[in-house]
Amino acid sequence: MSAHSQILLTSSEGTEFIIDRDIADKSMLLKCMLEDIGEIGQAVPLPNVSGPILTKVIEYCTHHRDDPNFLSANDDVAADIDEWDLEYCKVDQGTLYELILAANYLDIKPLMDLTCKTVANMIKAKSPEEIRKTFNITNDFTPDEEDQDWVDEH
Amino acid sequence: MADNNFNNTKGIDNDIKDTEKKSLRDLPAEVLIHIGLALPSREFGRFLQTNKTIHSCLDSHYVWHLRFTTRFGQTILEDKLNPSLPNNSDSARLSPPLTPSSPRLPSPNSQTFHSSSNINSNNNSANTSPILQQQQQFNNHLDPVSAASSLLPSAASSPRLTPSAAPQTPPSDSSSNEGSGSDGSGNGGEGSSSSSAKRPPGKARRIDLQRTNMASKEMLINIYKQLSRMTLPAEDMMIAHMGNQFWRMITSSESKYGKLAELASVWWMDVIAVFYGVPPGRYKVQWRVKVTSDGPVVNTEFRAVLFGKHEDPNTVGERPNALTFRPTSKQEFVQHTDSQGSKVNKKPFSNLFKGFTILELPGELLVEDDYRGVFLQIRNHDDWKSGLYIDYVRLVNLDDPEQSQESLANGLHGQRVAAGKEPVDDKGEEYYPTSSSSSGPLPWFQQALGINPTAGIDPRNRLRSPQATTIEY
């Protein structure tokens, strides 16, 4: 299979996307699938990824198409985010969550690292209450639990 | 940076609509773990306090193990845990993991590793073997001359850097090391030098959690906190010939940590300080020293070398320096300190500095892309020298607006020193920071983990006793 062959993807709404094989290979899920079963000539359904999110994911993979370190980054969670990636992540929270889930589902580790790092940066310098407010997290600790001596999990 | 997107008023309404659909808490566990790995300890602790689901997902042994190895690698954890761990880099399988209660494991509250403080504490222990005591007397590396005449195997020109006693343990001593570890006194990790000697030099190893999964969560948290310090007192440095007539640790009120390394007289001067898991950024290296003669500083090399988090610091050796400073004159040395003295050439060192001074190495230490180790060394192997006191060494993060003020290059440091406001308070990253408010789940967390936020852990607290010797300068 040549690097210039194309793959057809279908989003959850049924929207079809045609991408080059080398871009599809940025997703470990797609890469392994295509290696196992070959190019089936039919669309690969992605029921967990909506059209707009798949568009964003393809945009990311296309930008990093020629990045030699794309798959070699293993645990460099401390690395700085470059400028393009910073702009890429300037989206609303819902979209950011969807991107995280899509990166997780498609197994695109660099995108996963980027989006999770973006969320981590939003958490920094915030108190627990501020974090709850920012991310709409419910405080489910009851007043009684705050006083109890919970030792079972410790 | 991304906060700006959410402070935008127009975006708030959209955010509310979007977040009604999904909350951070609803993300899968592996995603929450990924986010947690990217957080420093303080933010990680605060994140855990937001919600029970998040807490139960993230406050686990597995996640702390991941956090530790992501930042510091596994080498140092292996050395701490198991001195007899087989060091076969091709081996994918290990002996069955030990339970946290294994007598071979050091106590989670064991002394700081590679610390000369172990000399006093362990020499006082009735359970410490004579071999271990002998090792700890030369707590750190030996110079080749004295090593050749000693019973212990000679050290290489580069000092050994195992977190435990540096001199290599003869094979017959391994059982005594395990025996000393089995008393649970925290000395179990001290005999790891033999395993370190087998490690292929310079070869990076990937993380395999099976190697170190016997470390308890509490141990991981404690060691993480220790290793995250950006300031190392002299007590935690590795100094050749420490503990005899050449170098000694003395108690002093002039020290920010209560103890100084005092150089009486030595030929082979070699001081090493190692930082692990330094986050990416730009740093200045500062040594707080007191100098009373030319010998210890003129033609002495002050160097800094970077090493990978998966690498053994033993392999640093003669690697190219990231930073180096070798003053050829008193004047050159003074130029890089916070001294305000003039007429340098005519004044002796004792008159140049009013007590201690901060030496800041020229240039910036650049840590890129990932957490890395920083190996710092002061070495001069020519001629006898004396008159040097070392208090601490630290890395000043120039990317931190507050910390960068400590750099001499900013010109503010001298003012802060003169005002007595030089801040040195680095106990490592706090897991659950103290809160001014007693409400909320924080007290519960602290109680469950046995954390007493009001307990002083200032090292000087454990030194103060009626018999403590204090030398006033």
Side-chain angles (χ1 to χ4, degrees):
Chain A
M1 297 174 193
S2 69
H4 299 292
S5 58
Q6 294 188 318
I7 307 299
L8 188 61
L9 305 176
T10 307
S11 69
S12 57
E13 308 98 324
T15 310
E16 293 186 341
F17 296 81
I18 300 176
I19 60 174
D20 290 339
R21 174 63 188 270
D22 61 331
I23 294 177
D25 283 350
K26 301 300 181 191
S27 160
M28 288 297 103
L29 176 75
L30 296 177
K31 183 179 182 188
C32 294
M33 182 192 301
L34 294 169
E35 283 176 354
D36 289 345
I37 64 175
E39 292 181 9
I40 57 178
Q42 296 177 355
V44 176
L46 300 175
N48 293 352
V49 186
S50 66
I53 297 301
L54 187 55
T55 303
K56 285 284 288 183
V57 171
I58 292 172
E59 178 191 354
Y60 178 86
C61 295
T62 303
H63 175 80
H64 289 281
R65 184 178 198 164
D66 299 320
D67 185 352
N69 298 320
F70 187 80
L71 294 176
S72 63
N74 287 321
D75 49 9
D76 59 342
V77 293
D80 287 337
I81 302 176
D82 70 27
E83 208 171 314
W84 188 91
D85 289 345
L86 267 179
E87 283 301 314
Y88 176 84
C89 286
K90 284 188 177 176
V91 295
D92 59 84
Q93 229 176 71
T95 302
L96 188 58
Y97 292 160
E98 295 295 330
L99 278 174
I100 292 175
L101 292 173
N104 190 39
Y105 172 68
L106 293 169
D107 195 2
I108 307 173
K109 191 177 184 306
L111 180 58
M112 182 76 162
D113 288 343
L114 169 63
T115 48
C116 289
K117 215 178 295 182
T118 302
V119 172
N121 286 337
M122 292 161 59
I123 291 175
K124 286 178 182 176
K126 285 188 168 69
S127 68
E129 190 52 44
E130 288 169 337
I131 296 172
R132 290 191 197 105
K133 191 177 175 183
T134 302
F135 295 102
N136 194 32
I137 298 172
T138 306
N139 179 10
D140 53 359
F141 289 102
T142 64
D144 290 340
E145 287 170 346
E146 289 177 7
D147 295 331
Q148 273 185 11
D149 187 9
W150 280 27
V151 295
D152 52 328
E153 57 187 315
H154 296 287
Chain B
M1 51 71 203
D3 275 343
N4 292 335
N5 190 46
F6 297 92
N7 290 331
N8 187 320
T9 306
K10 290 185 180 179
I12 288 179
D13 290 339
N14 289 334
D15 289 346
I16 292 174
K17 290 178 185 174
D18 288 321
T19 54
E20 280 175 357
K21 297 176 185 177
K22 204 172 288 290
S23 163
L24 193 65
R25 189 205 60 161
D26 299 325
L27 295 178
E30 62 266 29
V31 172
L32 293 176
I33 289 172
H34 219 102
I35 294 171
L37 287 179
L39 290 170
S41 294
R42 179 161 299 181
E43 277 78 5
F44 183 71
R46 289 174 182 166
F47 189 41
L48 297 185
Q49 296 172 50
T50 56
N51 178 276
K52 272 200 289 190
T53 303
I54 292 174
H55 177 266
S56 63
C57 175
L58 293 186
D59 194 28
S60 66
H61 175 268
Y62 170 70
V63 172
W64 268 106
H65 198 184
L66 262 187
R67 283 180 57 83
F68 188 101
T69 54
T70 297
R71 177 159 179 179
F72 302 110
Q74 268 190 308
T75 304
I76 191 167
L77 190 56
E78 286 183 36
D79 286 343
K80 186 70 175 166
L81 281 176
N82 193 346
S84 62
L85 194 68
N87 184 44
N88 183 358
S89 58
D90 296 327
S91 170
R93 294 183 181 277
L94 298 169
S95 55
L98 302 173
T99 64
S101 59
S102 165
R104 294 171 63 197
L105 293 173
S107 160
N109 296 319
S110 58
Q111 297 286 339
T112 55
F113 53 91
H114 59 67
S115 162
S116 59
S117 64
N118 283 336
I119 295 174
N120 294 330
S121 58
N122 291 324
N123 283 340
N124 292 333
S125 168
N127 293 323
T128 307
S129 69
I131 296 297
L132 198 57
Q133 289 180 13
Q134 184 181 11
Q135 287 181 354
Q136 290 161 353
Q137 184 181 4
F138 293 91
N139 185 46
N140 304 296
H141 46 278
L142 298 173
D143 72 75
V145 174
S146 60
S149 59
S150 73
L151 293 177
L152 295 172
S154 61
S157 58
S158 299
R160 294 190 55 80
L161 290 170
T162 55
S164 54
Q168 188 170 2
T169 311
S172 60
D173 290 328
S174 58
S175 57
S176 64
N177 288 336
E178 288 184 10
S180 63
S182 64
D183 60 10
S185 63
N187 296 328
E190 294 296 335
S192 66
S193 50
S194 56
S195 65
S196 299
K198 298 175 188 174
R199 189 169 296 122
K203 184 172 182 178
R205 298 176 300 158
R206 297 190 58 80
I207 292 175
D208 178 2
L209 293 183
Q210 286 188 34
R211 288 175 180 266
T212 50
N213 65 354
M214 68 286 288
S216 68
K217 189 175 87 171
E218 187 182 358
M219 182 182 183
L220 289 167
I221 293 171
N222 285 337
I223 301 178
Y224 189 109
K225 188 163 182 277
Q226 280 278 332
L227 295 178
S228 64
R229 294 177 299 168
M230 289 288 109
T231 305
L232 285 183
E235 206 173 16
D236 290 341
M237 297 178 192
M238 291 173 281
I239 301 177
H241 296 299
M242 170 57 73
N244 48 33
Q245 69 269 31
F246 305 113
W247 280 94
R248 59 180 184 143
M249 293 298 300
I250 59 173
T251 303
S252 170
S253 60
E254 275 197 294
S255 166
K256 299 294 181 180
Y257 288 89
K259 273 189 170 180
L260 300 172
E262 178 193 42
L263 170 61
S265 181
V266 78
W267 183 285
W268 186 275
M269 184 172 75
D270 209 313
V271 177
I272 287 175
V274 182
F275 291 90
Y276 297 87
V278 177
R282 300 174 305 131
Y283 296 88
K284 279 289 196 181
V285 178
Q286 291 183 347
W287 291 87
R288 186 171 190 261
V289 297
K290 181 176 174 181
V291 184
T292 58
S293 72
D294 296 24
V297 296
V298 176
N299 290 322
T300 292
E301 184 183 15
F302 298 81
R303 64 191 286 246
V305 183
L306 299 175
F307 61 94
K309 65 184 178 185
H310 300 303
E311 291 182 299
D312 191 333
N314 276 319
T315 66
V316 168
E318 296 306 315
R319 215 180 272 189
N321 297 332
L323 279 183
T324 187
F325 175 56
R326 190 195 294 265
T328 55
S329 66
K330 195 183 339 183
Q331 184 177 21
E332 189 179 355
F333 176 81
V334 170
Q335 282 175 351
H336 295 279
T337 67
D338 58 353
S339 165
Q340 301 299 317
S342 60
K343 298 183 181 178
V344 172
N345 288 329
K346 293 187 178 179
K347 285 188 176 179
F349 264 101
S350 56
N351 291 336
L352 276 174
F353 305 111
K354 293 180 182 177
F356 278 80
T357 186
I358 296 288
L359 166 68
E360 185 172 277
L361 302 192
E364 292 180 1
L365 191 65
L366 181 61
V367 179
E368 291 182 295
D369 298 329
D370 196 4
Y371 296 106
R372 294 174 71 83
V374 177
F375 172 100
L376 300 175
Q377 189 175 22
I378 301 175
R379 64 180 177 182
N380 185 330
H381 303 158
D382 301 317
D383 213 342
W384 288 99
K385 66 270 310 165
S386 62
L388 175 66
Y389 300 83
I390 300 176
D391 189 12
Y392 62 75
V393 63
R394 68 177 168 181
L395 301 178
V396 176
N397 188 348
L398 295 176
D399 297 324
D400 182 313
E402 202 173 306
Q403 252 197 58
S404 64
Q405 293 183 20
E406 300 308 313
S407 171
L408 301 187
N410 272 332
L412 297 175
H413 181 83
Q415 299 172 21
R416 293 169 72 90
V417 169
K421 293 180 181 177
E422 183 191 352
V424 178
D425 184 20
D426 190 352
K427 301 181 182 68
E429 291 186 4
E430 293 288 346
Y431 179 27
Y432 287 123
T434 55
S435 170
S436 57
S437 167
S438 60
S439 62
L442 178 62
W444 167 72
F445 286 115
Q446 291 173 336
Q447 186 179 8
L449 278 183
I451 296 173
N452 181 356
T454 61
I457 56 175
D458 186 340
R460 283 173 286 187
N461 288 339
R462 45 187 175 86
L463 298 176
R464 290 196 178 118
S465 70
Q467 290 78 31
T469 302
T470 302
I471 299 177
E472 301 287 343
Y473 287 92

